[in-house]
Amino acid sequence: MVDFSGQRPTTGFHAPTRFEADIYDCEVVGQIPTDLNGGFFRLHLDAFYPSKYADDAILAYDGYVTSFRFSKGVVDYKGRYVRTQRFMKQLEARKQLYGYYRNPYTDDPSVSDPANPHLRTTANTTPVVHHGKLFATKEDGLPHVMDHNTLKTVGPTDFGGTWNSQTFTAHPKIDPVSGEMVAIGYEASGLASKDVLMGTFDKTGKLTQEVRFDVPYVSMLHDMCVTQKHVVIPGGGAIADIETLKAGKSHWGWDASLPSYYGIIPRDGEAKDMRWFKGPERALVHTVNAVTEGDKVIMEAPVVEGNPWPWFHDIHGAPFKPLDYTIRRFTFDLNSKDDGYTEEILFKTPVTSFTRIDDRFMTLPYRYTYVQYSDPERPFDAALAGPFGGRTANSYGRFDIRTGETLSYCAGQSHAVQEPTFVPRPGSSEEGDGWILGIAHNHVERRSELIILDAQRMEEVARVVLPFRCSGQVHGVWAGEGDLAFDDPTQLALAN
Ligand code: V55
Ligand code: FE
């Protein structure tokens, strides 16, 4: 028997869906551009069984991968659970066996294995495409290789035995110039361990460089930035230690008295080259982009000045209050003698933590940040709030970090949008020439719609209408036909 009562979210729009689906030839309003060919992949949080603890983080929910396969003006949809070891063990037992987010000490004794916490990953955070493969990633375990045509789970990978960390970030960065992928794994040697593995994969997926270092204190290292020369690793605020885990508590607490920190290391550096800059209480969660200019590393990110996590308690007892993110710039001077840096607010408009760029400009000077937010002129109906505890959004914005100008698109007063993903127009090389794809949840009709915008005008060109609601998305990725070997979608559907 399955009973989700008392769980968050339960009956809301972002409640788990618990079904898998194929839709051949989706319903479309408007015209799908005929040169938009490839796959839009997304990872969702979709618990097949309710959490053991009603106050647990939804970040522990099962991973669910969806694809919108675009081909010559038509689109097919697929959705599948990621068949992690954890998911299969639950199906076999017909119940939830796993306890708190990232705490194996709270698991059923039949599966509890605190020495191998990565085996309980749900692979629910970011679909990543590199060297012709699709991966489902989560920062507490290894990436799962997914068949990008069928969405069948191939299984976890340590890259042929070369990746010597239990974990792998959900936000590796791909250098568009070299095709390299730079990644980290934190809590690399076990629960609440201070060590981080950083490594570079060449465009064929071969690990060509690795370095290991310790963080100032164990913290959530959710995202990272890569420039042409450096890697930036922001952390701080969230804390973890083994005693708290053994006591059966949630993995993370929040300590407002600790500094935020920013590790900067040359891409080919050794542990001794790592520099830790430190500042006041902050959470970045996600970054936008960074560049190296001479002796300076300049990074932009959506930032909050406190605990962004409703599930991770302030260790000094402060009650949780939702905070707004603003896009800020951090400038780190590699010649400085101290560990300080400068921080500027670039846009006062509150945004969510989900911002993306034209990934062809990752690591390089760039201009546009695409944000998920509520346009101040079209305020969001709070009744439609999403699963992340804070504000959610009805609009996509294009923020020009060079001029400060903003362009906005509102999906509708009863729509809640998920992270935007930029798709380059084939044949173009100009930054921002392409489309924005993003799911909007239509709360009135209780269904989800994929919105396609012209990214230069931020105007809608088409909507793919699904006949059901999707569970809450975390991140998405676009793969063009040159990035993955796609089967012909018509033949694929006829064969299945
Ligand atoms: C995040 C998401 C996660 C996680 C840690 O958005 C951080 C940030 C969906 O899982 O495990
Ligand atoms: Fe993320």
Side-chain angles (χ1 to χ4, degrees):
M1 194 197 79
V2 175
D3 178 5
F4 276 93
S5 57
Q7 302 279 311
R8 286 186 308 184
T10 49
T11 55
F13 199 98
H14 298 280
T17 61
R18 305 187 73 246
F19 66 88
E20 301 187 313
D22 290 272
I23 302 175
Y24 185 62
D25 228 336
C26 292
E27 183 185 342
V28 175
V29 179
Q31 288 285 323
I32 305 268
T34 50
D35 49 351
L36 179 61
N37 293 310
F40 180 42
F41 298 95
R42 302 156 60 240
L43 270 165
H44 309 220
L45 305 173
D46 203 317
F48 197 80
Y49 288 108
S51 309
K52 257 168 92 173
Y53 303 98
D55 64 345
D56 199 2
I58 63 170
L59 308 179
Y61 282 9
D62 294 303
Y64 187 94
V65 62
T66 57
S67 71
F68 289 87
R69 172 77 169 95
F70 290 81
S71 179
K72 303 181 196 107
V74 298
V75 55
D76 300 334
Y77 170 91
K78 250 185 220 313
R80 296 287 186 276
Y81 278 98
V82 184
R83 281 166 168 67
T84 57
Q85 172 178 305
R86 169 182 177 139
F87 183 77
M88 299 311 281
K89 285 193 185 277
Q90 292 179 135
L91 289 199
E92 202 181 347
R94 287 186 179 267
K95 64 175 184 185
Q96 179 62 266
L97 297 171
Y98 295 83
Y100 274 118
Y101 176 68
R102 297 188 72 174
N103 189 344
Y105 293 103
T106 59
D107 292 346
D108 188 276
S110 65
V111 295
S112 176
D113 185 2
N116 293 294
H118 59 292
L119 298 178
R120 67 199 287 295
T121 189
T122 53
N124 68 5
T125 310
T126 315
V128 171
V129 174
H130 192 250
H131 61 276
K133 291 194 166 83
L134 173 68
F135 301 91
T137 63
K138 184 172 182 70
E139 65 201 58
D140 65 354
L142 292 173
H144 282 56
V145 179
M146 307 299 296
D147 181 317
H148 56 271
N149 285 302
T150 62
L151 297 188
K152 282 190 176 137
T153 304
V154 179
T157 180
D158 60 3
F159 301 92
T162 63
W163 184 253
N164 283 310
S165 167
Q166 291 192 346
T167 60
F168 186 95
T169 179
H171 291 288
K173 290 290 178 290
I174 296 170
D175 177 339
V177 180
S178 66
E180 289 172 309
M181 173 168 72
V182 184
I184 60 168
Y186 76 96
E187 301 193 23
S189 62
L191 279 177
S193 69
K194 279 175 87 172
D195 58 331
V196 178
L197 176 68
M198 178 184 120
T200 305
F201 298 84
D202 71 11
K203 62 178 184 225
T204 70
K206 183 169 168 259
L207 189 71
T208 54
Q209 173 270 347
E210 66 170 18
V211 56
R212 228 173 249 284
F213 50 84
D214 281 353
V215 282
Y217 62 88
V218 180
S219 192
M220 186 192 280
L221 308 183
H222 180 65
D223 199 355
M224 60 192 288
C225 265
V226 176
T227 76
Q228 281 296 303
K229 295 214 170 96
H230 297 96
V231 178
V232 190
I233 300 167
I239 55 163
D241 62 77
I242 198 77
E243 285 71 37
T244 306
L245 294 170
K246 285 184 177 163
K249 307 243 172 70
S250 173
H251 192 96
W252 300 112
W254 185 266
D255 188 347
S257 72
L258 290 174
S260 55
Y261 61 72
Y262 309 84
I264 301 191
I265 184 169
R267 277 172 63 171
D268 56 0
E270 294 169 32
K272 66 171 173 47
D273 305 320
M274 177 57 108
R275 272 193 70 176
W276 295 102
F277 293 85
K278 294 204 176 117
E281 178 188 24
R282 292 286 182 272
L284 272 62
V285 188
H286 294 117
T287 61
V288 178
N289 197 13
V291 294
T292 301
E293 272 179 22
D295 292 322
K296 293 199 168 78
V297 174
I298 301 158
M299 170 179 76
E300 285 85 28
V303 178
V304 290
E305 300 192 357
N307 180 11
W309 308 108
W311 315 283
F312 304 139
H313 299 293
D314 185 294
I315 62 158
H316 306 292
F320 177 76
K321 75 169 195 294
L323 297 168
D324 288 324
Y325 290 81
T326 49
I327 306 252
R328 304 185 186 200
R329 171 175 294 153
F330 292 75
T331 304
F332 304 97
D333 182 350
L334 300 173
N335 282 328
S336 70
K337 296 277 180 289
D338 62 21
D339 60 8
Y341 56 86
T342 63
E343 177 181 345
E344 305 155 70
I345 297 179
L346 296 187
F347 296 90
K348 290 206 181 76
T349 311
V351 295
T352 69
S353 174
F354 292 87
T355 67
R356 295 286 295 276
I357 63 167
D358 176 341
D359 286 336
R360 295 174 297 180
F361 291 80
M362 190 65 77
T363 77
L364 300 170
Y366 74 107
R367 180 165 181 183
Y368 301 121
T369 302
Y370 302 96
V371 305
Q372 176 212 46
Y373 78 137
S374 277
D375 183 336
E377 283 166 31
R378 300 165 177 121
F380 192 75
D381 178 351
L384 311 182
F388 278 93
R391 317 277 160 91
T392 183
N394 57 7
S395 297
Y396 292 128
R398 187 187 79 168
F399 286 13
D400 183 334
I401 65 163
R402 226 172 268 166
T403 66
E405 278 173 289
T406 64
L407 268 183
S408 187
Y409 162 86
C410 181
Q413 293 294 316
S414 54
H415 285 66
V417 299
Q418 309 282 288
E419 179 192 64
T421 297
F422 179 85
V423 181
R425 191 185 308 280
S428 85
S429 56
E430 188 193 337
E431 182 182 357
D433 184 4
W435 302 277
I436 292 293
L437 302 186
I439 285 279
H441 297 309
N442 179 334
H443 282 251
V444 170
E445 302 198 14
R446 291 190 66 81
R447 68 179 189 213
S448 300
E449 300 164 359
L450 173 63
I451 296 192
I452 303 163
L453 305 181
D454 176 303
Q456 287 173 314
R457 293 181 290 121
M458 294 299 280
E459 286 172 10
E460 184 170 333
V461 296
R463 250 180 223 224
V464 179
V465 177
L466 296 178
F468 47 77
R469 67 175 174 85
C470 293
S471 45
Q473 172 187 331
V474 190
H475 297 293
V477 70
W478 172 260
E481 289 183 333
D483 300 321
L484 292 172
F486 284 106
D487 290 344
D488 177 275
T490 309
Q491 297 308 319
L492 182 70
L494 293 177
N496 281 284

